[in-house]
Amino acid sequence: MLIAVLTILFVASFIRSAFGFGEALIAVPLLAFAMPVGTAAPIAALVSITVAIVAIAQDWRHIHFRSAGRLFLATAAGVPFGLWSLHALDEHVVKMVLGAVVMAFAVFALMRHRQATLHDDRHAWVFGFGAGVLGGAYGMNGPPLVVYGALRGWSPRHFRATLQGYFLPASLMTMAGYSLTGMWTSTVTRDYLLALPLVLVATLLGRTLNRRLSGQVFVRSLYVCLVLIGAMLLLQSRGWLGG
């Protein structure tokens, strides 16, 4: 069981470091087969903090601080709405609709020969707010942020660094909430420390892949990741995947 947990966290950390997002979407559903979600989610948050710290230390010069700041502030405003929707709306229906929308958008983007672009941060609040709603409800900040970074045309290195500049304060805020509600337990700390060496190795390997991807290949890879995320959400909505 421990080997499976460590393998999941290694793969999730590698993907997060290479593409800038995605570890919680992979780690939490898979870890849910081996432990309660209430344990898996705080472990994923600690891993997120670790990857973000290492990535920022490596590439802080490539962070678009204004973009990261605007996205985070809008996220903070969106989280309460996500928490409300968690209790007011049917989780399975929301995940099914979200998965279908994410997949449809990503497939459409992959089929287009010319990518749409955003030339400034005026619309960052829309994507940040959406990330906050999804994060507050299901811990899924990623999809709106991926769409925003792709539309802004960031290079792989800028994309990775800027999202870590966003995820670090967001994950710290999430972890503070877990601590206040008693979800940060000794079991969470133990499993995290056992995984830490592998998480660090995966983070370094992910950065190597990130630096070797060309801009066009990177953007297409992001949309393929969105297709997979949409598929995972659809599977979760049908109860075929943990989470």
Side-chain angles (χ1 to χ4, degrees):
M1 190 70 70
L2 177 60
I3 294 177
V5 170
L6 296 179
T7 301
I8 291 168
L9 293 175
F10 177 85
V11 173
S13 301
F14 175 79
I15 292 173
R16 162 70 177 272
S17 181
F19 296 102
F21 76 104
E23 90 292 343
L25 291 163
I26 294 170
V28 175
L30 295 180
L31 288 175
F33 288 112
M35 62 181 65
V37 175
T39 301
I43 293 174
L46 286 173
V47 169
S48 174
I49 292 169
T50 303
V51 175
I53 290 174
V54 174
I56 290 172
Q58 292 173 327
D59 293 319
W60 64 269
R61 294 179 181 84
H62 300 284
I63 297 175
H64 292 293
F65 286 99
R66 177 176 294 182
S67 298
R70 290 187 176 186
L71 289 170
F72 174 73
L73 291 175
T75 290
V79 166
F81 290 90
L83 294 173
W84 168 82
S85 69
L86 180 62
H87 299 285
L89 304 176
D90 184 270
E91 174 183 356
H92 298 292
V93 173
V94 172
K95 285 188 175 182
M96 182 174 64
V97 173
L98 176 61
V101 170
V102 168
M103 285 189 69
F105 174 83
V107 170
F108 174 74
L110 285 169
M111 294 177 64
R112 282 173 58 92
H113 296 293
R114 182 179 179 182
Q115 297 292 339
T117 57
L118 292 174
H119 300 290
D120 53 48
D121 290 320
R122 285 181 297 176
H123 301 291
W125 68 271
V126 177
F127 297 88
F129 186 84
V133 172
L134 295 180
Y138 308 116
M140 298 177 183
N141 305 60
L145 304 176
V146 175
V147 173
Y148 184 72
L151 292 176
R152 291 286 279 118
W154 292 335
S155 69
R157 187 176 296 186
H158 282 96
F159 187 101
R160 174 180 184 265
T162 301
L163 259 62
Q164 304 327 299
Y166 163 90
F167 275 120
L168 180 57
S171 297
L172 287 171
M173 183 172 63
T174 300
M175 205 64 213
Y178 289 149
S179 179
L180 291 173
T181 55
M183 293 176 63
W184 189 349
T185 64
S186 58
T187 300
V188 169
T189 302
R190 181 200 66 198
D191 289 351
Y192 164 72
L193 291 176
L194 287 173
L196 183 57
L198 288 175
V199 169
L200 294 174
V201 171
T203 302
L204 297 176
L205 292 175
R207 186 197 187 208
T208 301
L209 175 61
N210 177 271
R211 298 183 70 175
R212 293 183 177 181
L213 291 172
S214 67
Q216 185 176 4
V217 171
F218 183 75
V219 169
R220 294 187 67 83
S221 298
L222 292 179
Y223 286 127
V224 170
C225 287
L226 283 178
V227 172
L228 296 177
I229 289 170
M232 290 180 66
L233 290 172
L234 290 174
L235 290 174
Q236 286 185 6
S237 73
R238 302 295 295 175
W240 297 337
L241 186 66

